[in-house]
Amino acid sequence: MPPLTSLQLRRQLYHYFLSTPPPVSQFTQHSLLNPTRLPKFSFFSPSLSASFSSQTLNSNNDPDPIAQSISTELIRNTDADSLSIPQRLNLHLSHITSSITPSLVEQTLNLSPDAGRTVLGFHQWLVSDAGFKHTDETISFFIDYFGRRKDFQSTHELLRDGKDVIGFKSLESIVDRHVRAGRAAKIVAFFDRMKRDYGLKRDRESLTLIVKALCENGYASYAERMVKNLANEIFPNERICDLLITGWCVDGKLEEAKRLAGEMYRGGFELGTMSFNSMLDCVCKLCREKDPFKLHSEAEKVLIEMDTRGVPRNVETFNVLINNLCKLRKTQDGLNLFHRMHEWGCAPDETTFLILIKSLYQAARIGEGDEMIDRMKSAGYGEKLDKKAYYSFLKILCGIERVEHAMGVFEMMKTDGCNPGIKTYDLLIGKWCARNRLDKGNALYNEALSNGVEITPKAHKVEEKYLKKAEGVKKEKKRETLPEKMARKRRRLKKIRLSFVKKPKKRMR
C-alpha cells in the first residue's frame, strides 16, 4: 500500500475525531453496609454488590471535544515525534481553526495542567496557523497558566510577543501571580521597566493595583517604600494611603499603622473609614491573642478616635466588632451590637447575618439561628444563602452533634434551590454512619446518586457509644486466686485506715 499523503492523513484523523464518541462517565451504585451485618470492630466498609448501568455526565460539565483534543496533543509525549507542537497541531487540528474562541482557549489551558512549556507552542500555533487574534483577556489566560507553574521566564516571552495587545487585565494577572509566589521585590522592579519593555502604562491606576496586591498579601513595607520612591512622579491619593494602612494591619503591626497615619495627617491627608476599620480589626485580633478582657476598652479607643476625626461608622465597622466578639464566643454581645446598628444609621448586610447565624449555631442556640436565617431572607439577602453558606451551617451543626437539626437545614437548603454537592452528602452520610444509623446514610446515598452526584463509598468509624452490645451474652465472673484475694483485702484495709483523721503525735498517749 502506498504511503498516505499529508492531506489523506489529515482527512482520516478528522473522520476519526468525528466518529469518536464523547467521554462517558461510568460509575457504579454502591449500597452501604446493612445494619444487621455491623461487625464488632469500630470500622465498617461499604458493600459493593449492587451494580448500576452507566450514565452520561451533565452536558454543562462536559469538556468541549475540541478543547479535549488540543489538550491531548499538548500532554502527549513528544520524545519520539520529530514534529514541533505547532506542526503537530496544524496537522491534526487544522479543520477546527474557525471554531476557536477565548472560552475554548481558557478551557484548553485548564485541561492541560501538566503540559508545561508546550503551551508556548499552542500559543504560537494560535497566532501563526490558526489565525486567532489574541486579546488582553486571552493573554491573561496564558499568564495565569504559567503563573500557577511559577514559570516566569515563559511569562516574559509571552509578554514580549504580545506587546501590542496586553493591557490592564494582563497586568492584573502578572501582579497577582508574582505577589502570590512571594516575588514582591520582582514586581516592584517590574513596575519600573514595564513601560519600556512591554508598553504598559505607568500611572496611578497601575500603582494602586500593585500596592493593593502587596498590602493584601503581607508586603506592606515593599508597598510603602515603593510609594515614597515614586511620590515625585505619581503623587499618592487617599485610596493608596488607606491601602498602606490596611497592609500594616494585615501584618499585625499596629504601631507601624499608627505611625503612617500620623505622617498622613501631617501631610494633609484625611483617613477614611477603611483605614479605621482595618486598625479596629487589628486591635481586636491582637486583644484576642494576648488579652481578650481588653477587647472592649481597646476597641472603644479606636471608635472614639473615629468620632473625634469625624469619620462615620459603616456596616463594615460593625461587622468587624461582631465578628471578633463571636470568635470570643460572646454571641450575646454581638447580638446586642446588631440590634443597635440603626442608632448610627447602618443596616446589616449579608456578612452580618452569616456571622451571627454561625455563632448562634455554634452556641447551640438553634431556634435563634433559624430565626436569623428567616430575618436574613426578609432583609432581601436570601440569594446570598448559597451552597457554601449552607455547608458551613451544616458543618457547625454536625460538629455540635445536632444532626437531626442539620437535616432540617439540609431540607431548607434544597427548598431554596441550592443543589447539595459531594462534600455536603459526605458530611451528612459520615455523621449518620458514625451514629450507627445506616438507614439514614443509605437514604442519603441513594438520593445523591439519583441527583447525579457521584459519591465514592468510604469506610466510616462508628462511635463506641452508639455500638449495640450483643444481647444474651453475659460476662463470666473470673474466680480470684488466693494471692489476688489477699492483695484486694490489703488495698481495702489501707483505704479504710487512710480515711480516718489522725491526731497529732504530741497529743497521742
Side-chain angles (χ1 to χ4, degrees):
M1 180 178 178
L4 294 174
T5 64
S6 177
L7 181 60
Q8 290 173 334
L9 180 61
R10 187 182 304 171
R11 286 179 178 174
Q12 285 194 8
L13 288 170
Y14 174 65
H15 289 298
Y16 169 76
F17 282 118
L18 289 180
S19 61
T20 303
V24 177
S25 173
Q26 296 183 353
F27 55 91
T28 307
Q29 180 186 19
H30 307 293
S31 298
L32 294 175
L33 193 66
N34 194 301
T36 58
R37 291 185 177 183
L38 183 68
K40 296 180 181 180
F41 304 104
S42 298
F43 288 92
F44 67 94
S45 59
S47 173
L48 306 176
S49 58
S51 61
F52 191 92
S53 62
S54 61
Q55 296 182 2
T56 56
L57 286 171
N58 189 349
S59 59
N60 295 330
N61 298 327
D62 284 339
D64 192 290
I66 299 176
Q68 190 72 48
S69 302
I70 299 174
S71 176
T72 303
E73 291 295 330
L74 295 176
I75 298 174
R76 196 179 72 180
N77 187 10
T78 60
D79 294 340
D81 199 340
S82 60
L83 298 177
S84 64
I85 298 295
Q87 290 174 339
R88 199 165 71 240
L89 291 175
N90 191 42
L91 176 63
H92 296 168
L93 304 167
S94 61
H95 59 282
I96 62 170
T97 54
S98 60
S99 305
I100 297 177
T101 60
S103 61
L104 181 68
V105 173
E106 183 181 17
Q107 192 173 10
T108 302
L109 295 175
N110 292 336
L111 290 171
S112 314
D114 300 324
R117 290 201 171 186
T118 56
V119 171
L120 282 176
F122 173 51
H123 165 69
Q124 295 170 5
W125 176 73
L126 286 175
V127 175
S128 59
D129 299 319
F132 180 77
K133 292 184 178 180
H134 272 297
T135 61
D136 184 25
E137 183 182 18
T138 56
I139 291 290
S140 70
F141 296 154
F142 285 90
I143 294 172
D144 285 331
Y145 178 85
F146 290 118
R148 288 192 291 268
R149 298 180 58 85
K150 295 182 174 58
D151 187 357
F152 298 105
Q153 179 61 35
S154 297
T155 304
H156 166 69
E157 297 176 13
L158 191 69
L159 293 174
R160 187 183 55 196
D161 295 340
K163 187 183 297 186
D164 298 332
V165 294
I166 58 176
F168 194 75
K169 184 71 176 176
S170 298
L171 180 62
E172 282 184 335
S173 298
I174 296 166
V175 173
D176 178 61
R177 292 299 167 182
H178 275 75
V179 174
R180 287 169 64 180
R183 297 165 60 94
K186 294 289 184 181
I187 200 61
V188 173
F190 173 83
F191 184 80
D192 294 333
R193 56 184 173 81
M194 69 180 189
K195 184 176 182 179
R196 181 183 67 252
D197 294 349
Y198 309 113
L200 292 168
K201 293 182 180 179
R202 282 165 48 96
D203 53 8
R204 183 178 284 113
E205 186 178 9
S206 57
L207 177 62
T208 304
L209 172 66
I210 295 177
V211 169
K212 182 180 179 182
L214 290 171
C215 291
E216 288 178 351
N217 289 274
Y219 299 104
S221 59
Y222 287 90
E224 183 178 351
R225 194 180 310 118
M226 181 182 180
V227 170
K228 288 183 176 180
N229 292 337
L230 294 170
N232 294 329
E233 180 184 350
I234 305 173
F235 194 73
N237 56 8
E238 293 183 359
R239 167 69 174 166
I240 294 177
C241 296
D242 287 341
L243 288 173
L244 290 174
I245 291 179
T246 302
W248 283 118
C249 293
V250 168
D251 290 348
K253 297 179 180 179
L254 183 61
E255 295 302 322
E256 292 290 337
K258 291 181 177 179
R259 185 263 310 163
L260 187 59
E263 292 181 7
M264 291 175 180
Y265 275 121
R266 290 191 296 271
F269 289 98
E270 291 293 334
L271 296 183
T273 310
M274 175 183 173
S275 296
F276 279 101
N277 289 343
S278 300
M279 288 191 284
L280 180 63
D281 191 30
C282 185
V283 165
C284 293
K285 286 180 180 177
L286 292 175
C287 288
R288 283 196 290 113
E289 293 174 2
K290 297 179 181 179
D291 190 355
F293 294 103
K294 288 186 177 181
L295 188 142
H296 282 281
S297 59
E298 295 297 326
E300 190 67 25
K301 292 178 183 178
V302 180
L303 295 175
I304 292 173
E305 179 71 16
M306 287 181 69
D307 295 338
T308 305
R309 299 286 183 179
V311 180
R313 304 180 191 182
N314 58 8
V315 63
E316 183 62 28
T317 310
F318 288 95
N319 287 345
V320 168
L321 291 170
I322 293 173
N323 184 41
N324 284 281
L325 287 171
C326 290
K327 285 184 177 180
L328 286 175
R329 299 291 184 264
K330 296 185 177 182
T331 308
Q332 189 56 48
D333 292 346
L335 279 174
N336 295 337
L337 197 58
F338 169 76
H339 292 303
R340 293 187 58 196
M341 288 178 66
H342 65 277
E343 298 179 13
W344 285 270
C346 297
D349 60 0
E350 68 274 8
T351 305
T352 317
F353 285 109
L354 291 175
I355 292 170
L356 287 172
I357 293 169
K358 293 176 185 178
S359 184
L360 287 168
Y361 280 152
Q362 189 69 51
R365 299 166 69 168
I366 308 298
E368 294 178 73
D370 293 343
E371 292 176 5
M372 192 61 70
I373 291 179
D374 295 336
R375 190 165 183 172
M376 181 176 178
K377 293 178 180 178
S378 302
Y381 297 109
E383 60 199 19
K384 302 297 182 181
L385 288 169
D386 53 4
K387 188 188 302 185
K388 182 179 178 181
Y390 273 113
Y391 177 75
S392 63
F393 301 158
L394 294 174
K395 195 172 182 180
I396 292 173
L397 290 170
C398 291
I400 63 171
E401 299 297 329
R402 299 293 194 276
V403 188
E404 293 82 2
H405 193 81
M407 291 302 297
V409 176
F410 179 68
E411 295 298 328
M412 188 190 308
M413 174 183 180
K414 294 187 288 186
T415 304
D416 290 345
C418 297
N419 297 321
I422 297 175
K423 292 175 67 176
T424 306
Y425 279 112
D426 274 343
L427 174 67
L428 294 174
I429 291 174
K431 209 63 187 174
W432 280 121
C433 291
R435 289 184 161 217
N436 205 7
R437 292 297 306 274
L438 301 182
D439 53 337
K440 298 276 190 180
N442 275 324
L444 285 171
Y445 184 81
N446 295 328
E447 178 186 327
L449 290 183
S450 64
N451 292 336
V453 181
E454 298 183 32
I455 297 181
T456 304
K458 299 177 182 177
H460 299 283
K461 183 178 180 180
V462 181
E463 295 180 11
E464 188 175 352
K465 61 182 177 181
Y466 294 109
L467 285 172
K468 296 179 181 178
K469 296 182 179 179
E471 297 179 359
V473 179
K474 295 183 179 179
K475 187 176 180 181
E476 296 182 1
K477 190 174 181 180
K478 184 180 177 182
R479 184 173 180 179
E480 290 181 324
T481 62
L482 182 61
E484 291 175 347
K485 184 176 181 181
M486 297 303 296
R488 179 173 57 82
K489 286 186 175 181
R490 283 195 298 270
R491 289 194 299 269
R492 178 62 181 164
L493 289 172
K494 184 178 180 181
K495 288 182 181 179
I496 293 174
R497 287 198 304 270
L498 293 176
S499 64
F500 294 98
V501 179
K502 295 182 179 180
K503 298 180 180 179
K505 288 184 179 181
K506 63 181 180 180
R507 294 186 182 180
M508 294 177 64
R509 295 180 181 176

